[in-house]
Amino acid sequence: MQMSARLWIGATLLLSGNASVLAAQARRSSDFLYVWTASQDTTQPDFLAVFDVRPASGRYGRLVTTVPVPGRNNRPHHTEHEMPADARLFANGFRSGQSFVFDTSDPAHPRLDGQFGDVAGMMHPHSFLRLPNGNVLATFQMQHDSVGIAPGGLAELTDRGGVVRHVSANRAGVDRRIRPYSAVIIPKLDRIVTTTTDMDGHAVIPSVQLWRLSDLQLLQTFDLPQGPRGDEAGLTAEPRLLGDGKTVLVSTFDCGLYLLTGLDGPSPSGQLVSSVPRKKDTYCAIPVIAARYYLVTVPAWHAVVSLDISDPAKPREVSRVVLGEEDVPHWIALEPNHRRVVITGYGKLLHRLMLANFDEATGRLTIDEHFRDDGATEAGVRMDNKSWPHGGSYPGIPHGAVFSLTPATAARH
């Protein structure tokens, strides 16, 4: 199933027209934080946890409710990175291959409102992004063919998980180790960029794929160049679109940062523009863009780092917020008004989530010391010391987390 470029242009214009309204509404602080949580006790359900993040509410950092999901040991992994305008949040359970759709139009009381698994034989969806028409683009890691495990692909889904169109990355000449991981959508260039990281850890390759947005045609597969350390390009991770709507930075789990060029031409390529140390058995992970700043987790420093990318070819550090020596930050997401950042991870962060304050004028990051449990000696909210509204008191392991939209922003159904 294909969509004409004309329809895509129309959808892009419609989205642009709504953008200014949404941006004005998003200046308000979020009321709630949604945390996609695994049960450490795999006989108990995984769940979405809702926390109050209204600083003046008197219940700042308190658990509001939980929404359990079907099945067991789903391995809750990625949610969407920001709450979409329709307030329907997609979240994947990577181990089970099941994905879940939460309706958060009543922000304090979300509900499970959809579930899906494989699409056209493609398995284990990983990342979800919103297309200009409001539908969801999902990356799928893999599929089976006559030879064995093959590259997965992309699917366009409705806001309820229905399949609109799909395309395989398993093509002649494509490395069979390709595993579509994350993506960025570039409407101005009619392009999509996808990265490659094998969640099962079987392959480390520096590949990036370029697709045409309007018909999901795979255009190019190319490798990022290694840097002076020799491994910076391994495990391509998260591509992000800059404010000009056409410049893309790609992070790698091996702690490189690459600027892509030539995405609308015949010879796309990447240039290493920054790198940081990588501690053994840890990986630089989720980045976010906030105005002229690029925020990213750096486990070797136990930190979230803020880079000024006014010149994306020459990022420079302006701030870092350092966590505990045994904290391994992994996931971050930005509040719609860009004032707070949520942090989850591993090590001593395995059962804890933290908030950092962010100053968009200077790029400065600081720990939110007020976001903590009653009587706690350290900042952050624990998820191994609570009784859950849906039942049980087993430890929770937070992963994907996203701030709510304000009621004025969220679409009502």
Side-chain angles (χ1 to χ4, degrees), residues 50 56 85 92 97 115 131 134 158 173 175-176 200 243 258 267 295 300 336 354 358 397 401 406:
V50 183
N92 83 58
Q115 180 178 344
L131 290 157
T158 69
D175 191 324
R176 287 183 62 85
D200 288 333
Y258 288 79
S267 302
L295 313 182
M354 301 182 69
F358 177 66
I397 302 172
T406 62

Side-chain angles (χ1 to χ4, degrees), residues 2-78:
Q2 295 185 351
M3 182 176 291
S4 70
R6 179 177 294 179
L7 286 177
W8 274 107
I9 291 170
T12 302
L13 291 174
L14 178 63
L15 187 71
S16 298
N18 292 331
S20 59
V21 175
L22 290 173
Q25 293 172 326
R27 294 182 186 279
R28 294 176 57 187
S29 294
S30 294
D31 291 337
F32 302 101
L33 179 69
Y34 303 111
V35 183
W36 183 216
T37 306
S39 166
Q40 182 167 294
D41 179 350
T42 57
T43 68
Q44 299 297 315
D46 306 311
F47 57 94
L48 185 75
V50 183
F51 288 89
D52 189 325
V53 291
R54 297 171 294 174
S57 72
R59 291 185 50 79
Y60 191 55
R62 301 299 176 265
L63 180 68
V64 177
T65 191
T66 54
V67 184
V69 299
R72 297 293 185 268
N73 200 19
N74 288 290
R75 190 185 172 186
H77 193 54
H78 278 212

Side-chain angles (χ1 to χ4, degrees), residues 18 27 40 51 54 74 116 131 141 168 177 186 204 235 243 276 288 306 343 349 364 368 372 404:
N18 292 331
R27 294 182 186 279
Q40 182 167 294
F51 288 89
R54 297 171 294 174
N74 288 290
F116 62 92
L131 290 157
Q141 282 257 288
S168 173
R177 298 174 297 170
I186 317 166
V204 178
L235 300 170
V276 294
V288 297
S306 174
I343 307 166
L349 278 180
R364 185 169 182 256
D368 182 346
R372 64 173 66 201
S404 70

